[in-house]
Structures are given as structure tokens and as C-alpha cells.
Amino acid sequence: MPIYEFKCPTCGKVEERMQSGYEPVVPRCECGPWMILQVTPSAIVFKGKGWAKRDRAKVDKQGA
Ligand SMILES: [Zn+2]
């Protein structure tokens, strides 16, 4: 599930929301305004080194 990061333009508060869809639901900050989407989901999903490598190794083992 992709994680969307929103930021309030007024107070600068950052909020992370895990959402299932292609259409992120924009949360509203407690101080008033709608929050602004900060990052695309892919930037977070592929975070971390060696993730893809480990995954490939697992697949190779199962195939053999
Ligand atoms: Zn705010």
C-alpha cells in the first residue's frame, strides 16, 4: 500500500497516510487548510538498500 505524505501550508505539520488508491484523500489540517501532497508513493516504497537483491535471491532459490 502506498504511503502519501502531506504537509500543511500554514503550520508546516507533516502527516503520513497509508492509502490504497490512485486517488489520495487529502486530509485537512487541524489548523484549518487542506494539506498538500508532498511525495509520490514510489519514493517511499523503494526505500532501503538491498531490498530488491534479497527478493531476487529468494526467487532464484524457489526456482531451483
Ligand atoms: Zn496546519
Side-chain angles (χ1 to χ4, degrees):
M1 227 182 252
I3 298 172
Y4 294 90
E5 192 178 299
F6 299 92
K7 190 175 181 182
C8 175
T10 303
C11 72
K13 183 187 170 187
V14 174
E15 196 165 316
E16 285 182 354
R17 289 280 179 101
M18 212 187 276
Q19 289 177 6
S20 57
Y22 16 95
E23 250 180 86
V25 179
V26 179
R28 201 165 178 177
C29 185
E30 54 199 12
C31 80
W34 298 101
M35 298 180 94
I36 297 167
L37 184 62
Q38 290 293 291
V39 285
T40 53
S42 60
I44 291 176
V45 169
F46 295 108
K47 190 172 73 177
K49 285 181 181 176
W51 202 89
K53 209 168 154 187
R54 202 159 61 231
D55 200 49
R56 197 163 57 229
K58 205 166 86 182
V59 172
D60 285 346
K61 216 172 177 180
Q62 284 172 346

